[in-house]
Amino acid sequence: MRKLLTSAACAALLAGCHGGGATDNGAAMNEAAVTAATAFTIDKVSLPGEGRGDYLTVDNDARRLYVTHSSQVHILDLDTLRPVATVTGLKAAHGVALAGGHGFVSDGDQNAVIEFDPATGKVLKTIPTGKKPDSILHDAASGMVWAFNGDSEEISVIDPVKGAVIKTIKLPHGPEFSQTDNQGKIWVNMEEGNSIGVLDAKAMTLTGTIALTGCDGPAPLAFDPANRVLFAGCGNKVMVVADADSGKILASVPVGGDPDGIVFDAQRKRVYVANRDGGWTIVDQVDKGTYRVDQTLKIDEYAKTGALDPKTHRVFSSTADLVWPPAVPGKKHLPNAKSGTFRLMVVSEK
């Protein structure tokens, strides 16, 4: 493993900075509250293999980082970023959940969740699910692993001890990213419905939806457990903030184009919105319903998801050099990756 670029500093007065911000109901903040933009560094670490990546997962207890990458999952030491193991033999790895000492990766092209040993990367079991499992999480309240199936518009609830689906929950629309409070509630964005599905984790039922007024095509989702608010990234270049319990919309914040990942740093009260367009929107949380855009942080295009290390406050993403095939009518235009260019992105505050 070699570092491609070390500490490429992003100046405090970054050209992409926003001078103001968004607050309660999207109103502009008082100019006196605006402060200088935070300075960051971005490191890049080359990883082997072909294709692009998707979600990343941080295991703070075991100090491991899981980086999904097309047909594999890179398991790295979270502190040194050196390889620990690799899960291979996948077709389209999307997300990783951890439960009972095992790992579970959603494979969208196999319509399955693959159980593996986190220490060795050895595949232990293939668990059939619905069509195109994508987002995946472990919920402490139910003890289950929840796989969200985009094409069949349902959730496969997996018992990690049995290694089997024990319940299927139908959704009104295809699911995108999901979050849990580990106390009995789970939420999932539904892009086509412009809403968030609300689930009872213990009863394993859909109990309602949160309408995301002003949001077109929500994909990424993050959760603030202290204030119990949800952050939903929308295709119309806004992040909508909703009360997780009442469903009330608290704020709308301008962000970049095509967001696909959101990370919330609870200690620093900072939201990172990972946009596909080559800029991350960095947002400061003033209070539960008030937010200020700190800056647009320049980053490599399609560094579109993120995962936070709460110990070091580093945020991880992945991307590759992009190769755009001819557009096909009726299909979303997505890039391929140039061979040998896949890399981990490491964003740190200076």
Side-chain angles (χ1 to χ4, degrees):
M1 181 179 298
R2 63 186 179 89
K3 285 195 174 183
L4 297 178
L5 176 65
T6 304
S7 299
C10 298
L13 296 177
L14 190 67
C17 292
H18 296 277
T23 64
D24 212 357
N25 299 319
M29 281 192 66
N30 188 299
E31 288 296 327
V34 177
T35 57
T38 306
F40 292 94
T41 61
I42 301 175
D43 296 328
K44 307 178 187 182
V45 181
S46 178
L47 294 174
E50 303 302 314
R52 293 191 292 108
D54 203 355
Y55 300 123
L56 303 92
T57 300
V58 165
D59 183 348
N60 189 38
D61 294 330
R63 304 301 295 163
R64 291 191 183 112
L65 173 65
Y66 297 83
V67 184
T68 61
H69 179 199
S70 188
S71 64
Q72 61 190 313
V73 178
H74 303 281
I75 307 174
L76 308 178
D77 183 291
L78 185 54
D79 296 303
T80 66
L81 302 183
R82 296 185 181 278
V84 173
T86 307
V87 185
T88 60
L90 307 172
K91 292 185 178 180
H94 288 290
V96 170
L98 304 166
H102 290 170
F104 299 83
V105 54
S106 54
D107 190 324
D109 283 3
Q110 289 197 60
N111 296 328
V113 166
I114 310 302
E115 184 177 356
F116 65 90
D117 180 350
T120 65
K122 180 182 177 181
V123 171
L124 302 174
K125 193 172 187 178
T126 298
I127 306 167
T129 63
K131 295 179 181 179
K132 199 179 178 181
D134 189 356
S135 179
I136 187 170
L137 59 79
H138 172 250
D139 169 67
S142 63
M144 301 294 119
V145 172
W146 296 58
F148 296 81
N149 308 312
D151 281 1
S152 52
E153 300 182 344
E154 63 188 13
I155 305 165
S156 296
V157 183
I158 298 169
D159 185 326
V161 177
K162 296 178 180 178
V165 174
I166 61 167
K167 187 165 185 178
T168 299
I169 304 170
K170 188 64 179 175
L171 295 171
H173 303 282
E176 285 289 335
F177 201 66
S178 56
Q179 290 288 339
T180 176
D181 66 358
N182 289 309
Q183 297 175 2
K185 273 192 173 183
I186 293 174
W187 301 270
V188 60
N189 265 344
M190 295 184 290
E191 190 170 15
E192 296 301 320
N194 295 334
S195 59
I196 297 174
V198 183
L199 296 134
D200 184 318
K202 295 178 181 178
M204 302 181 194
T205 57
L206 178 71
T207 60
T209 59
I210 297 172
L212 295 177
T213 305
C215 173
D216 182 13
L221 188 68
F223 177 58
D224 170 2
N227 289 303
R228 292 193 64 80
V229 296
L230 295 162
F231 307 100
C234 311
N236 56 328
K237 297 186 177 182
V238 296
M239 178 184 74
V240 172
V241 184
D243 186 289
D245 299 311
S246 71
K248 179 183 177 182
I249 303 301
L250 303 175
S252 181
V253 184
V255 299
D258 210 2
D260 199 41
I262 295 182
V263 171
F264 178 63
D265 187 331
Q267 185 175 338
R268 293 186 174 173
K269 299 186 181 303
R270 180 177 296 142
V271 186
Y272 297 82
V273 184
N275 310 300
R276 286 182 172 94
D277 64 3
W280 281 14
T281 308
I282 313 299
V283 181
D284 294 329
Q285 182 187 60
V286 180
D287 56 39
K288 179 176 180 176
T290 309
Y291 299 84
R292 179 180 62 84
V293 175
D294 177 78
Q295 64 181 277
T296 298
L297 178 67
K298 290 184 178 180
I299 196 167
D300 292 358
E301 190 178 6
Y302 257 70
K304 64 184 184 69
T305 59
L308 171 75
D309 177 2
K311 177 182 175 182
T312 64
H313 300 278
R314 295 190 296 180
V315 180
F316 302 97
S317 187
S318 69
T319 190
D321 292 350
L322 305 179
V323 178
W324 290 91
V328 177
K331 293 186 68 176
K332 187 172 183 178
H333 194 204
L334 297 173
N336 297 319
K338 183 179 178 181
S339 179
T341 65
F342 184 73
R343 54 194 176 269
L344 179 71
M345 308 290 292
V346 187
V347 177
S348 310
E349 185 176 343
K350 289 183 70 175

